[in-house]
Amino acid sequence: MLLVLTGILCFFALGGSPGARAQGSTEGRFLCTTIPADADPKCPPVYLQGAQEEDLRATVLQLRETILHQKETIEHQKETIRELTSKLSRCESVSESADRHGPGTWRKEYGKGAAAKDTMGDLPRDPGQVIDHLSRTMQSLKDRLENLELQLRSNVSFAALPNDLREMLHKRLGDLERQLLSKVAELEDEKSLLHNETAAHRHHTETALNALLERVNELEKGHSAFKSPDDFKVSLPLRTNYLYGRIKKTLPELYAFTICLWLKSSASPGIGTPFSYAVSGQPNEIVLIEWGNNPIELLINDKVAQLPLFIGDGKWHHICITWTTRDGMWEAFQDGEKLGTGDNLAPWHPIKPGGIIILGQEQDTVGGRFDATQAFVGDISQFNIWDRILKAEEIMNIANCSTNMPGNIIPWVDNNVDVFGGATKWPWESCEQRLLNL
């Protein structure tokens, strides 16, 4: 209907009046154009020439292409944002996994299924490698963002990118960089902690192994699995200058003593030196020795007393020696019986403290310079020292196995005796068996 009315109006305007034709023939002609129904009557249409219309159409096409290109760019930026968000989530999941599983434990995070996308890659187990991997990832993301900015500047003006999108990208990348730097710092701390824990664990392990090795050496040297701590003997099978036992404890200053021991030897000539005590400046502070064809001698501060003892028959014998500084009085007991006594053996000389007690060797210097010809050959047990003179009844009770009385200064216990050079510790016969062997 609108077109019909428009045509009628054009007819009346152009051809319905002769005056109109005359005026049109002399001054020009009119061009009729349809007006849309929704056109604003206050804004009359603009009539263009052909060239202007072509330019306008080209501009419209160019604007449309620009809009499409920017739309594609925005979609590409959205994809980049999603990828950065995914990688940030990966970093957070790695951090949570490290917190759950403890320092130094890293696991590869997958999606729901084996085919899930792993954009962060498989994190190495070594903390140093993890730090390198995250550093390379962060640098790669920064390079990609710089390339995107260069591409935007070359193709479309970077100002054409929405400001909120650019700010969001920068904010996301800044957050990711801070997260990665924080994770790198945490990994460095965990690496240092792991190093310290590893060193402590290694020290603890080495300490335990050394203790175990010492225990094995004790077992190899001495068969220390005895029924009781004193139920052992020291065996010195050869006459050498390197087989001996050593008492770990030392003596205090003494004004009297009793020394008792069980021994068995069949060596000849002479059984050698069952024990010796040396101090600085005096290697013969206390010595019991049978050398060559000489009788058994007791030396105190290099003074000598010959003892009426006979113990070289290859049987077990219980020997006790008492001494006091008052007048140098001494006594000698064998198998519970007093066989000799005397005086003037280093009178008024107190026994010096801090020396070394050696079983089986005579000392020419403190703890050393042994002479093989003076070495003891046989077995020694129950070497005890008291700081007083035992009564004859006490010595008899020890010798006949009716009492067990360890020395109050030097007791015979396994952990107080070390053996060297091939000397060994062995379980000892029962006291009843020793008595039968007398």
Side-chain angles (χ1 to χ4, degrees):
M1 180 66 69
L2 181 61
L3 294 176
V4 174
L5 292 176
T6 304
I8 293 172
L9 290 175
C10 290
F11 173 76
F12 282 108
L14 298 176
S17 173
R21 290 193 187 96
Q23 185 179 1
S25 59
T26 58
E27 296 179 5
R29 61 190 185 88
F30 292 96
L31 179 64
C32 293
T33 305
T34 60
I35 301 174
D38 57 351
D40 188 355
K42 296 180 181 181
C43 298
V46 179
Y47 303 104
L48 302 173
Q49 297 298 326
Q52 293 177 344
E53 184 177 0
E54 291 296 331
D55 293 339
L56 180 61
R57 184 178 290 110
T59 303
V60 170
L61 292 176
Q62 184 177 4
L63 290 174
R64 182 179 298 172
E65 291 178 358
T66 302
I67 291 171
L68 291 176
H69 185 72
Q70 291 191 3
K71 183 177 180 180
E72 293 177 356
T73 302
I74 291 172
E75 291 296 331
H76 182 69
Q77 298 298 329
K78 287 181 178 180
E79 178 64 24
T80 302
I81 292 172
R82 285 194 294 271
E83 184 176 355
L84 294 175
T85 304
S86 174
K87 294 187 176 184
L88 181 59
S89 300
R90 288 284 176 177
C91 291
E92 294 174 353
S93 65
V94 169
S95 176
E96 293 176 359
S97 175
D99 295 337
R100 288 196 305 269
H101 300 289
T105 305
W106 298 95
R107 293 186 177 179
K108 183 177 181 181
E109 299 292 337
Y110 293 96
K112 296 181 179 179
K117 184 178 181 182
D118 184 12
T119 57
M120 288 300 291
D122 189 8
L123 290 175
R125 293 182 179 273
D126 183 68
Q129 297 180 3
V130 172
I131 294 172
D132 295 338
H133 181 81
L134 292 177
S135 300
R136 289 195 300 270
T137 302
M138 183 175 67
Q139 185 62 39
S140 175
L141 293 176
K142 293 177 68 177
D143 294 341
R144 290 181 62 183
L145 184 60
E146 291 177 358
N147 292 334
L148 287 173
E149 292 179 351
L150 291 174
Q151 182 180 357
L152 287 173
R153 290 193 184 97
S154 61
N155 294 334
V156 180
S157 174
F158 189 68
L161 194 64
N163 291 331
D164 56 349
L165 182 59
R166 285 189 294 133
E167 292 177 358
M168 183 170 57
L169 278 175
H170 282 295
K171 182 179 179 180
R172 277 289 189 180
L173 185 61
D175 292 341
L176 179 59
E177 184 174 358
R178 285 190 294 273
Q179 289 281 345
L180 291 174
L181 290 176
S182 176
K183 181 55 62 179
V184 168
E186 291 178 5
L187 290 174
E188 288 288 351
D189 293 340
E190 290 178 359
K191 182 179 179 181
S192 177
L193 180 62
L194 283 173
H195 176 74
N196 294 335
E197 290 180 353
T198 302
H201 179 69
R202 187 188 306 114
H203 177 71
H204 178 72
T205 302
E206 290 178 353
T207 302
L209 288 177
N210 289 335
L212 182 60
L213 181 60
E214 290 178 359
R215 182 59 178 166
V216 170
N217 289 335
E218 289 179 1
L219 292 174
E220 289 178 347
K221 291 188 297 184
H223 297 276
S224 298
F226 308 121
K227 295 180 181 179
S228 62
D230 64 340
D231 190 19
F232 70 99
K233 63 181 179 180
V234 173
S235 180
L236 303 163
L238 300 174
R239 177 157 281 169
T240 69
N241 61 352
Y242 53 82
L243 272 75
Y244 66 99
R246 175 171 174 170
I247 305 298
K248 294 181 181 179
K249 294 185 66 176
T250 187
L251 296 180
E253 187 176 49
L254 295 176
Y255 297 91
F257 66 75
T258 299
I259 300 176
C260 294
L261 70 155
W262 283 87
L263 55 80
K264 181 175 70 171
S265 178
S266 59
S268 61
I271 63 171
T273 307
F275 70 89
S276 63
Y277 174 66
V279 296
S280 178
Q282 180 51 273
N284 296 324
E285 188 70 2
I286 306 175
V287 180
L288 182 66
I289 184 172
E290 185 181 55
W291 185 18
N293 295 319
N294 298 319
I296 293 181
E297 296 176 341
L298 174 64
L299 282 69
I300 296 180
N301 192 29
D302 237 354
K303 307 302 187 289
V304 180
Q306 294 184 346
L307 308 182
L309 304 177
F310 307 94
I311 53 180
D313 56 0
K315 297 180 180 181
W316 280 107
H317 293 283
H318 186 258
I319 302 298
C320 279
I321 300 167
T322 69
W323 175 86
T324 176
T325 186
R326 179 178 296 179
D327 295 327
M329 295 290 298
W330 60 268
E331 297 173 320
F333 295 79
Q334 179 173 327
D335 300 328
E337 297 181 7
K338 183 190 294 187
L339 299 184
T341 184
D343 60 4
N344 201 34
L345 178 60
W348 315 109
H349 169 78
I351 301 300
K352 296 179 182 178
I356 293 178
I357 303 174
I358 296 294
L359 301 179
Q361 297 284 352
E362 192 272 333
Q363 307 172 64
D364 286 338
T365 60
V366 179
R369 284 187 61 184
F370 305 139
D371 186 348
T373 62
Q374 298 174 338
F376 174 82
V377 179
D379 299 324
I380 298 175
S381 185
Q382 295 296 317
F383 180 84
N384 292 280
I385 301 180
W386 295 262
D387 60 356
R388 63 183 179 87
I389 297 176
L390 295 185
K391 297 178 182 179
E393 295 81 6
E394 293 176 314
I395 294 175
M396 177 60 74
N397 291 334
I398 296 173
N400 62 22
C401 302
S402 61
T403 185
N404 182 17
M405 189 171 64
N408 67 332
I409 299 299
I410 301 294
W412 181 256
V413 288
D414 181 20
N415 60 8
N416 191 38
V417 181
D418 287 334
V419 291
F420 301 92
T424 55
K425 295 180 184 178
W426 296 95
W428 196 32
E429 297 90 340
S430 66
C431 199
E432 291 76 9
Q433 289 176 330
R434 294 195 301 274
L435 291 179
L436 292 175
N437 193 29
L438 289 179

